[in-house]
Amino acid sequence: MSLAIPPDPELDRDTVRTAVAAGNIPCLLPVLYQLTGEEKWLSPPYVPTPTKGYEEHNDGGFDPQIQAEIRDAVTDAVLDWCNGKPIAHPAPAGAELARLMSTVMGEPVSEHYSPMIAEQLGFTPYTPTDVGSTIRSTRQDFGVVVVGAGISGMTCAINLEKAGIPYTVLERNDRLGGTWWENRYPGARVDIPSDLYSFSFRPKNWSEHFARRDEIFDYVSDVADEYGITDRIRFGHSVDTAAWDENEQHWVLSVTGPDGEKQELRASALVTAAGLHSTPNVPDFEGATDFHGQIVHSAQWPEDLDVRGKRVAVVGSGASAMQLVVAISDQVESMVVLQRQPQWIAPNENYFRQTDDSKNWLFDHIPFYRGWYRFRLYWLYTERTYAALPVDPNREEKGKLVSSLNDAYRAYLTSYLDSQTAGDEKLRRKTLPDYPPFGKRLLIDNGWFTTLRKPHVELLTDNIARLTPTGLVTADGEERDIDVLILCTGFQQQRFLFPMDIRGREGTSLRETWDDDNGRAYLGITTPGFPNLFFLYGPNTNPPGGSYITIAEAQVRYVVEAISRLVTEDLSSIECKPEPYERYNAELDEANSTMVYAMDGVNSYYRNSSGRVVTNSPWPVADYWARTERPDPADFTATKRRIG
């Protein structure tokens, strides 16, 4: 990624100096070391102070004299590079890379993270095994079907393309993008910094720190076109059933096309990329058929819906509700928000901030700078978050509710909530969660508290009991007249791959194997009894923090290498053995039981109807990356291909 920047011998000192003056010093220090090879830039007095919260920390905590010295040295090093001086350390790894990561954060970072970060920053990018020539010569009938053209499906298609593996992507929608095509409600934007919520192999100069939905959709569309996968997607195609044919050793899919016509497709391997947030959860309210107004789900937003001057009710107070409520609050006549449970909300000064031109200039002209900026975001939004999730087993004797760090988050977030609700004790009581931070996803304040304090906005902590022709009635008997009911009620996250009917060996139903909402898979990717079937964003792969795209790239690497093995070893099938599957899931459930989101009294979509955590991974992202680095042949039963 970073090495793709060509040196520009036409750059002048004033231009470079001006840009570097606006740069983040903790990210410039490893750049300086890589360009010059000078060890002194990794030692005192050039070690930044640790970052507090999510602050930019551009000065690194240095006094003005040290800041000036570093920025002048970076300017000199960049100009030397532009004039032909070789890069001293173009691809750091291992302990050297760990030193650079520690420098960026001003705190120790273990070498354990080096392999993943080296790949993510482009020092050792993943390159799939190219099996195209073998397929063309000996396996002309070999092909893969990918179900879904969201982030995961796109990542898979791009790497299958690189590997020379024939594939077809089936997408039920008319456009690609998955979540970022379906969620077009007002105010929709990412809640992970844009520079982290993007493919590691395809950076972009974003217009905002937290990009809006349209810019993200345009980005994924551009990536699909650039990598040549758009023409391989069949839009408007829904997979109804998929069955393993034991005699022919392939999958047989029944597909409904755009005009309702039924088709049958065959695939040597099947990859599902249907996503976690794909099937809306739509409550069945009593009286809904008699309601004269309009009912919409946030993920099914009608393009012609006009809420101006309308009386609106919003069910939910999660991420989508927060974004939507704030976005439309000044358009409506009145609004009532029905909150089942309050959320922990954190401030972030960059949430609505435009990206400075100087930042993008540094990305485009300073080698490695974009990568280190991305790493810094990864650490703040992923590793820092994870550290607050495990429950301290000795918390009671220490006088802690969860752990020292989680309790500190609670105190900080409560203090912020107090500042936002000052003078309105009733609103404070309604919006203060009674469960620990990170029991649910931590949300970013986009003006939520300010909006709830507007005179025409009302917050009710109750459920809808029934609808009437003109409005709603809550469980406590409160009645409100409304014109539009907006459902921010989430998705059926526990019912992986619903409503597809997938059947493996001997006609075994995957949905019955999973008891409908109790999905289990080895690494979240594969399940015994279902050969050549691979899941992306499958059971227990929701990351404990940060960007899911990092997880998607790790899973795709594993899946593409597993599929390539079918070709390189001339196999008809590989199937996960029961032993690693059982061992992994026992370890996973034990680890999940120690996390804050599994504590008594914490309820979220993370759990299924029996209380088991089915969506979340309990491990740090780097640990999951290491587990999925390469498929272990010992974990699979392999069947040689029959010829003739």
Side-chain angles (χ1 to χ4, degrees):
M1 179 175 69
S2 302
L3 298 182
I5 297 175
D8 182 359
E10 301 300 318
L11 280 180
D12 62 90
R13 179 170 295 277
D14 287 343
T15 299
V16 177
R17 181 190 293 115
T18 300
V20 169
N24 179 275
I25 286 182
C27 295
L28 288 170
L29 283 167
V31 170
L32 189 51
Y33 167 79
Q34 287 186 259
L35 290 178
T36 67
E38 296 179 15
E39 291 276 337
K40 74 173 189 176
W41 301 115
L42 307 183
S43 305
Y46 307 109
V47 177
T49 57
T51 301
K52 297 178 181 178
Y54 299 119
E55 67 178 352
E56 286 288 291
H57 202 41
N58 283 337
D59 64 11
F62 297 111
D63 63 44
Q65 182 177 350
I66 295 292
Q67 290 183 52
E69 182 183 354
I70 293 171
R71 295 188 193 279
D72 286 345
V74 172
T75 300
D76 291 340
V78 169
L79 290 172
D80 287 345
W81 168 68
C82 286
N83 290 320
K85 183 178 179 179
I87 295 172
H89 297 280
E96 180 185 38
L97 182 53
R99 286 187 67 194
L100 299 183
M101 292 187 285
S102 300
T103 297
V104 171
M105 298 315 304
E107 62 187 72
V109 177
S110 168
E111 188 177 340
H112 170 70
Y113 294 92
S114 292
M116 184 187 80
I117 298 304
E119 180 179 287
Q120 285 286 305
L121 270 59
F123 299 146
T124 56
Y126 167 58
T127 302
T129 303
D130 188 349
V131 296
S133 60
T134 303
I135 290 175
R136 288 189 294 272
S137 60
T138 64
R139 300 289 295 270
Q140 293 92 342
D141 61 343
F142 191 88
V144 177
V145 166
V146 179
V147 182
I151 294 293
S152 294
M154 285 179 54
T155 308
C156 188
I158 288 169
N159 284 281
L160 289 172
E161 185 82 26
K162 291 179 179 179
I165 298 173
Y167 66 93
T168 299
V169 181
L170 302 177
E171 170 54 55
R172 68 183 181 184
N173 292 320
D174 295 332
R175 303 286 294 275
L176 56 76
T179 292
W180 296 109
W181 167 245
E182 294 173 344
N183 287 270
R184 300 189 291 274
Y185 60 84
R189 70 171 67 219
V190 71
D191 60 359
I192 297 294
S194 312
D195 291 301
L196 181 59
Y197 193 84
S198 50
F199 298 109
S200 66
F201 53 84
R202 174 40 170 91
K204 170 181 165 56
N205 289 344
W206 297 93
S207 67
E208 295 179 282
H209 285 256
F210 291 82
R212 283 180 265 194
R213 176 264 168 196
D214 289 356
E215 187 171 10
I216 298 171
F217 176 72
D218 290 344
Y219 166 70
V220 296
S221 299
D222 290 344
V223 171
D225 289 343
E226 289 172 20
Y227 282 88
I229 67 170
T230 306
D231 292 341
R232 307 294 293 276
I233 303 172
R234 298 187 188 181
F235 294 105
H237 284 72
S238 298
V239 177
D240 303 315
T241 66
W244 175 253
D245 187 322
E246 184 65 29
N247 291 329
E248 299 298 328
Q249 294 282 288
H250 61 213
W251 286 94
V252 180
L253 285 72
S254 175
V255 180
T256 300
D259 299 322
E261 74 278 12
K262 298 293 183 180
Q263 306 172 23
E264 188 174 274
L265 300 178
R266 287 165 171 74
S268 307
L270 176 62
V271 181
T272 65
L276 188 66
H277 314 290
S278 59
T279 303
N281 181 36
V282 180
D284 184 15
F285 294 118
E286 178 185 343
T289 56
D290 298 323
F291 177 57
H292 294 163
Q294 193 166 1
I295 303 175
V296 300
H297 192 281
S298 58
Q300 299 169 329
W301 192 264
E303 291 185 7
D304 60 350
L305 179 59
D306 186 355
V307 297
R308 288 176 296 182
K310 300 289 181 64
R311 298 166 299 177
V312 174
V314 178
V315 181
S317 59
S320 298
M322 280 185 61
Q323 294 177 340
L324 191 149
V325 164
V326 173
I328 68 172
S329 63
D330 289 336
Q331 302 174 26
V332 303
E333 176 186 311
S334 65
M335 177 185 292
V336 57
V337 179
L338 295 110
Q339 169 190 276
R340 184 177 62 178
Q341 198 172 30
Q343 308 276 346
W344 286 108
I345 298 171
N348 192 304
E349 62 183 3
N350 289 326
Y351 191 70
F352 289 114
R353 187 177 157 198
Q354 297 285 314
T355 301
D356 297 330
D357 290 341
S358 60
K359 174 184 165 186
N360 287 334
W361 191 96
L362 290 165
F363 285 169
D364 292 339
H365 295 87
I366 307 297
F368 312 116
Y369 181 78
R370 186 196 296 269
W372 289 116
Y373 190 91
R374 178 183 170 94
F375 165 73
R376 188 171 179 278
L377 293 176
Y378 164 80
W379 195 261
L380 294 178
Y381 286 83
T382 308
E383 297 304 325
R384 285 275 184 87
T385 297
Y386 179 83
L389 269 59
V391 177
D392 185 344
N394 301 315
R395 66 188 185 281
E396 292 182 0
E397 60 190 70
K398 294 178 180 179
K400 303 298 180 183
L401 296 173
V402 177
S403 66
S404 296
L405 182 58
N406 191 282
D407 287 9
Y409 266 107
R410 189 172 197 147
Y412 168 70
L413 296 173
T414 300
S415 175
Y416 178 70
L417 182 146
D418 288 343
S419 72
Q420 296 298 302
T421 60
D424 192 338
E425 183 59 28
K426 186 177 180 181
L427 180 61
R428 181 187 186 277
R429 289 196 303 270
K430 288 181 177 181
T431 55
L432 180 63
D434 60 3
Y435 58 89
F438 306 105
K440 294 184 177 184
R441 187 178 181 91
L442 183 67
L443 303 182
I444 298 176
D445 189 9
N446 62 337
W448 176 249
F449 295 109
T450 301
T451 299
L452 293 181
R453 300 185 73 155
K454 292 179 178 179
H456 68 294
V457 178
E458 180 183 16
L459 177 65
L460 296 179
T461 56
D462 202 359
N463 297 321
I464 293 178
R466 59 187 174 86
L467 297 178
T468 68
T470 60
L472 61 85
V473 180
T474 71
D476 286 343
E478 296 276 350
E479 296 188 35
R480 298 292 185 275
D481 287 337
I482 60 171
D483 304 305
V484 181
L485 178 64
I486 301 174
L487 306 176
C488 296
T489 47
F491 303 86
Q492 299 187 43
Q493 288 100 336
Q494 306 86 2
R495 306 180 74 189
F496 290 96
L497 303 181
F498 178 81
M500 277 190 286
D501 179 12
I502 299 178
R503 297 182 179 270
R505 293 195 190 277
E506 300 178 356
T508 301
S509 165
L510 184 62
R511 184 139 309 280
E512 292 177 5
T513 299
W514 284 351
D515 296 325
D516 189 41
D517 68 349
N518 193 31
R520 294 178 184 268
Y522 178 54
L523 300 171
I525 294 175
T526 184
T527 295
F530 296 83
N532 298 2
L533 174 63
F534 305 98
F535 316 121
L536 300 177
Y537 216 161
N540 293 108
T541 58
N542 198 42
S547 170
Y548 168 70
I549 296 179
T550 309
I551 298 294
E553 292 183 5
Q555 290 184 326
V556 164
R557 180 188 57 238
Y558 183 96
V559 169
V560 170
E561 291 304 310
I563 292 173
S564 296
R565 184 184 168 212
L566 292 170
V567 177
T568 58
E569 298 184 19
D570 202 25
L571 304 175
S572 62
S573 69
I574 55 173
E575 178 185 347
C576 179
K577 295 177 180 177
E579 294 80 11
Y581 165 85
E582 296 291 351
R583 184 171 60 248
Y584 173 83
N585 279 282
E587 183 183 359
L588 179 143
D589 286 344
E590 174 61 27
N592 260 332
S593 72
T594 68
M595 304 298 276
V596 63
Y597 48 73
M599 294 182 73
D600 292 340
V602 178
N603 300 303
S604 70
Y605 72 77
Y606 301 161
R607 293 177 165 185
N608 65 6
S609 57
S610 65
R612 176 177 172 263
V613 175
V614 294
T615 61
N616 282 23
S617 167
W619 295 296
V621 170
D623 286 13
Y624 183 79
W625 186 95
R627 289 172 182 265
T628 57
E629 185 174 6
R630 287 290 186 277
D632 184 349
D635 291 335
F636 294 87
T637 298
T639 302
K640 276 288 187 180
R641 186 168 68 104
R642 298 190 300 268
I643 301 177

